[in-house]
Amino acid sequence: MQGRESRQEPIFWKQDISAALLRDHQFLCHGLGRSYGDSCLPSGGTALLLSPLRKLRSFDEKTGLLSAEAGLSLAELLDFIVPRGWFIPVSPGTRYVTLGGAIANDIHGKNHHKRGTFGCHVTEMEVLRSNGETIICSPWREPEFFAATIGGLGLTGVISWCTVQLIPIASAFLETETIRTTGLDDFFALEDESARDWEYSMSWIDCMAQGSKRGRGIFFRGNHAPYGHPAEEYAAQAQWKLAIPFQAPSWCLNRWSIRAFNEVVYQQQQKRLKQRRMPIDPFFYPLDKVLHWNRLYGKRGLLQYQFVLATDRLDELKRIFDIIAQSGLGSFLAVLKKFGDIRSPGMLSFPREGYTLTLDFQNQGERSQALFQKLDAIVLKAGGRLYPAKDAMMSPELFQSGYPLWREFSRHIDPKFTSQFWQRVSRG
């Protein structure tokens, strides 16, 4: 997506933030640009590029309490902490997210049922406001402002630094199982079975399969290995990358090619169960190994759609799978997982107890919009919500229904901060 005309300003030092905010501009912070929609796009004004602000402030190697500037990426953080026997408590599907972005979008991972969201592990942070105010907040200090900033889409001000509680690990490997599933009921049973004993779980779904095969896929679950040598293991892990050298022609993606690809992926696992000891990167960040993977979707790019529905809304979830399969606008990447009952701390945090489905679609203009409108109607009626960090088309009605605290949140917005997303969904 292209933002309205705006300027970019890199931030290298904390004092640069205060100097920038004195100007009579509209602002929005920008990390590494991994939000797929317009929540990270300023509406004119200035995008403050925070990725250069990435210094480590402190680290207690005995307790795992780490403080760093908000522009530090998870990639840089992992390179520092994994050899020392620590890991981030909640990890998204890419290393290339800043700490500030992780907080602003209250990211989630494959272990929501065990750890909740990233914001659950933030113990303190500093936010700079355009009126010159500096707010240090935590769950116990300025708790309402803390709740507005966690998942607050960068609208409450500039997060300059944060403190996060890490989790200990004994190895840079995971013990994993991949299980070939026959359909949605099989997935539901595996999720329930895995919740107690497995830290991480999710499933790739063949979203083109219909009838008795609806929702078939490959279920993944894993635990950090209980023994090992993190420093040596992490140093030895391969860092190869594959690059997509050109934009794929738009005609390459169609119902037949997607159906064929999904069939190949599904049939690759001939046995019901595979067990293996796996390095961190291929388990958590497989797409990071493919540079410019978005080029596979052609010049018009991709649209991502992620929603969550309560666990008692299985009929609606099945209906969504049917609509996607019938539309012919299937997805290579369709990920289904279950959120647990750990409450996210942010007013606008996306995760809630239920099933969440993430889909990547080639942008096909009006056809994509028509499909999303059908899905929106089901999500709205079922009382679900969409993920702002991955949204490009959500209506004000769907946003305001899914996030009932949005008006309360809006009282904490910095008057100089806005985004194209917020202007779109806060109307009315």
Side-chain angles (χ1 to χ4, degrees):
M1 297 184 65
Q2 298 296 320
R4 298 184 182 94
E5 184 176 353
S6 62
R7 64 187 296 269
Q8 297 182 342
E9 181 171 343
I11 299 296
F12 294 93
W13 303 96
K14 179 179 171 181
Q15 54 264 36
D16 295 342
I17 301 173
S18 301
L21 295 181
L22 290 175
R23 296 195 298 271
D24 188 19
H25 284 182
Q26 288 288 307
F27 296 96
L28 189 67
C29 295
H30 188 90
L32 291 172
R34 290 316 194 267
S35 295
Y36 292 163
D38 54 2
S39 65
C40 64
L41 296 180
S43 183
T46 300
L48 300 175
L49 307 182
L50 291 185
S51 55
L53 193 73
R54 59 179 190 268
K55 293 179 284 296
L56 184 68
R57 300 178 72 244
S58 65
F59 176 55
D60 187 328
E61 196 160 349
K62 292 183 179 180
T63 65
L65 198 64
L66 179 140
S67 184
E69 292 179 330
L72 186 72
S73 71
L74 298 188
E76 295 165 319
L77 178 59
L78 290 167
D79 288 346
F80 177 77
I81 64 174
V82 172
R84 291 168 170 81
W86 295 92
F87 195 67
I88 48 179
V90 173
S91 178
T94 176
R95 286 169 156 257
Y96 301 112
V97 173
T98 63
L99 287 175
I103 293 171
N105 294 290
D106 199 15
I107 59 173
H108 55 273
K110 301 176 179 67
N111 61 343
H112 186 274
H113 62 291
K114 292 286 190 181
R115 309 278 181 178
T117 64
F118 192 85
C120 295
H121 307 275
V122 176
T123 62
E124 191 176 48
M125 61 181 156
E126 180 183 76
V127 182
L128 306 184
R129 304 270 286 181
S130 65
N131 63 359
E133 186 179 11
T134 296
I135 300 178
I136 296 178
C137 58
S138 72
W140 310 276
R141 180 179 180 182
E142 301 283 355
E144 191 170 338
F145 187 79
F146 180 84
T149 303
I150 299 287
L153 306 174
L155 297 174
T156 64
V158 182
I159 302 170
S160 60
W161 59 261
C162 65
T163 303
V164 180
Q165 178 62 60
L166 306 175
I167 61 172
I169 56 172
S171 170
F173 283 85
L174 294 100
E175 293 181 344
T176 70
E177 292 185 352
T178 58
I179 304 169
R180 178 166 151 160
T181 61
T182 57
L184 283 178
D185 290 339
D186 199 4
F187 164 80
F188 297 143
L190 280 169
E191 271 287 5
D192 291 341
E193 172 195 320
S194 304
R196 185 186 67 181
D197 297 326
W198 294 87
E199 175 80 15
Y200 305 102
S201 65
M202 51 80 70
S203 184
W204 169 83
I205 298 292
D206 178 2
C207 64
M208 300 296 284
Q210 301 183 59
S212 62
K213 298 179 180 179
R214 177 179 57 194
R216 71 177 185 174
I218 308 296
F219 187 89
F220 302 85
R221 58 191 183 188
N223 285 323
H224 293 284
Y227 60 89
H229 303 280
E232 293 86 346
E233 292 165 347
Y234 192 69
Q237 291 181 12
Q239 297 298 318
W240 62 268
K241 292 184 184 292
L242 171 70
I244 305 299
F246 55 83
Q247 297 279 2
S250 58
W251 51 263
C252 286
L253 288 184
N254 53 58
R255 69 171 68 220
W256 298 283
S257 63
I258 294 173
R259 192 181 302 277
F261 174 85
N262 286 358
E263 186 69 29
V264 169
V265 171
Y266 185 70
Q267 296 299 338
Q268 273 187 334
Q269 177 150 331
Q270 295 295 319
K271 296 180 179 179
R272 165 75 170 176
L273 171 66
K274 283 186 179 180
Q275 297 173 310
R276 62 176 294 198
R277 188 174 169 93
M278 184 180 292
I280 282 172
D281 276 18
F283 184 80
F284 288 102
Y285 317 113
L287 279 180
D288 284 351
K289 296 297 185 183
V290 185
L291 299 176
H292 311 302
W293 59 266
N294 55 296
R295 290 176 176 174
L296 293 171
Y297 290 86
K299 291 183 178 180
R300 300 186 71 173
L302 66 96
L303 296 168
Q304 189 162 106
Y305 192 90
Q306 182 173 2
F307 64 87
V308 58
L309 295 179
T311 53
D312 61 354
R313 293 292 187 169
L314 298 186
D315 288 342
E316 287 88 346
L317 181 62
K318 293 175 181 178
R319 175 63 179 149
I320 285 175
F321 274 108
D322 290 340
I323 290 174
I324 293 169
Q326 293 162 11
S327 74
L329 302 178
S331 170
F332 289 129
L333 181 64
V335 175
L336 181 64
K337 54 192 171 186
K338 187 177 183 181
F339 287 148
D341 60 1
I342 300 174
R343 185 174 178 180
S344 300
M347 294 180 186
L348 296 188
S349 293
F350 165 69
R352 55 188 285 188
E353 187 174 8
Y355 293 103
T356 181
L357 179 64
T358 306
L359 304 133
D360 286 352
F361 296 96
Q362 184 185 45
N363 182 3
Q364 297 195 20
E366 292 182 359
R367 289 187 67 199
S368 300
Q369 187 172 7
L371 172 61
F372 284 16
Q373 286 175 348
K374 290 180 181 179
L375 304 182
D376 285 353
I378 297 174
V379 173
L380 178 64
K381 187 174 181 179
R385 60 173 59 150
L386 303 187
Y387 190 18
K390 298 180 178 179
D391 172 69
M393 296 184 179
M394 193 189 325
S395 68
E397 180 185 16
L398 184 52
F399 172 76
Q400 294 169 24
S401 171
Y403 296 89
L405 295 179
W406 74 277
R407 289 191 186 278
E408 181 180 346
F409 162 80
S410 66
R411 297 200 298 268
H412 300 280
I413 293 177
D414 189 293
K416 288 187 178 181
F417 279 65
T418 190
S419 66
Q420 292 187 31
F421 172 84
W422 186 253
Q423 291 192 348
R424 171 163 56 89
V425 301
S426 61
R427 298 194 304 264

